[in-house]
């Protein structure tokens, strides 16, 4: 299997400030190789999701680090894009038991 992209995974810590607002703080957890694939129309239709081009599937090798990723964590891919993606779903039950599949969605830019 080829994993051509470098993916940086961030564990998200959630706290509240003095005003009761939720603050999400991403902290780099680890980096690994990944293979990304865009979601197609059939997948979006079956999942009841909108197809906006911002959702992707990400395949990674299954190991203790990748098994620690939770829904809500973030991932960023090396390259010219500075988009940050949030993990929406995790599927560990693939026919290839050596890898995990994450469904990720691009976060809105806050700059």
């Amino acid at each position: 299997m080829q994993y051509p992209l470098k993916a940086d995974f961030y564990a998200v810590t959630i706290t509240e400030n003095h005003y009761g607002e939720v603050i999400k703080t991403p902290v780099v957890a680890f980096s690994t190789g990944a293979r990304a694939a865009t979601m197609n129309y059939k997948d979006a239709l079956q999942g009841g999701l909108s197809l906006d081009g911002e959702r992707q599937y990400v395949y990674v090798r299954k190991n203790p680090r990748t098994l620690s990723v939770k829904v809500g964590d973030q991932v960023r891919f090396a390259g010219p894009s500075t988009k940050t993606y949030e993990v929406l779903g995790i599927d560990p039950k693939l026919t290839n038991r050596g890898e995990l599949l994450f469904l990720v969605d691009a976060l809105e830019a806050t700059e």
Side-chain angles (χ1 to χ4, degrees):
M1 277 287 140
Q2 295 288 331
Y3 298 96
L5 291 174
K6 178 186 175 198
D8 297 320
F9 283 86
Y10 296 82
V12 175
T13 304
I14 299 174
T15 57
E16 282 189 13
N17 65 10
H18 296 343
Y19 302 104
E21 298 169 330
V22 175
I23 306 294
K24 293 182 179 182
T25 308
V27 177
V28 176
F30 65 93
S31 296
T32 188
R35 190 173 73 248
T38 57
M39 177 185 286
N40 63 33
Y41 180 76
K42 180 181 171 188
D43 296 329
L45 189 63
Q46 288 176 344
L49 302 169
S50 63
L51 188 67
D52 56 9
E54 297 295 320
R55 289 194 173 94
Q56 295 186 29
Y57 290 122
V58 179
Y59 297 89
V60 297
R61 285 189 187 99
K62 189 184 289 186
N63 62 43
R65 286 184 170 181
T66 56
L67 286 170
S68 69
V69 175
K70 301 180 300 282
V71 171
D73 285 354
Q74 297 177 0
V75 62
R76 206 178 243 189
F77 302 109
S81 175
T82 58
K83 285 187 181 178
T84 301
Y85 294 85
E86 181 177 14
V87 176
L88 295 181
I90 303 167
D91 185 6
K93 299 177 183 174
L94 293 173
T95 54
N96 180 355
R97 296 179 188 257
E99 63 181 16
L100 289 171
L101 172 66
F102 298 117
L103 172 62
V104 298
D105 188 17
L107 293 173
E108 294 280 330
T110 57
E111 299 173 81

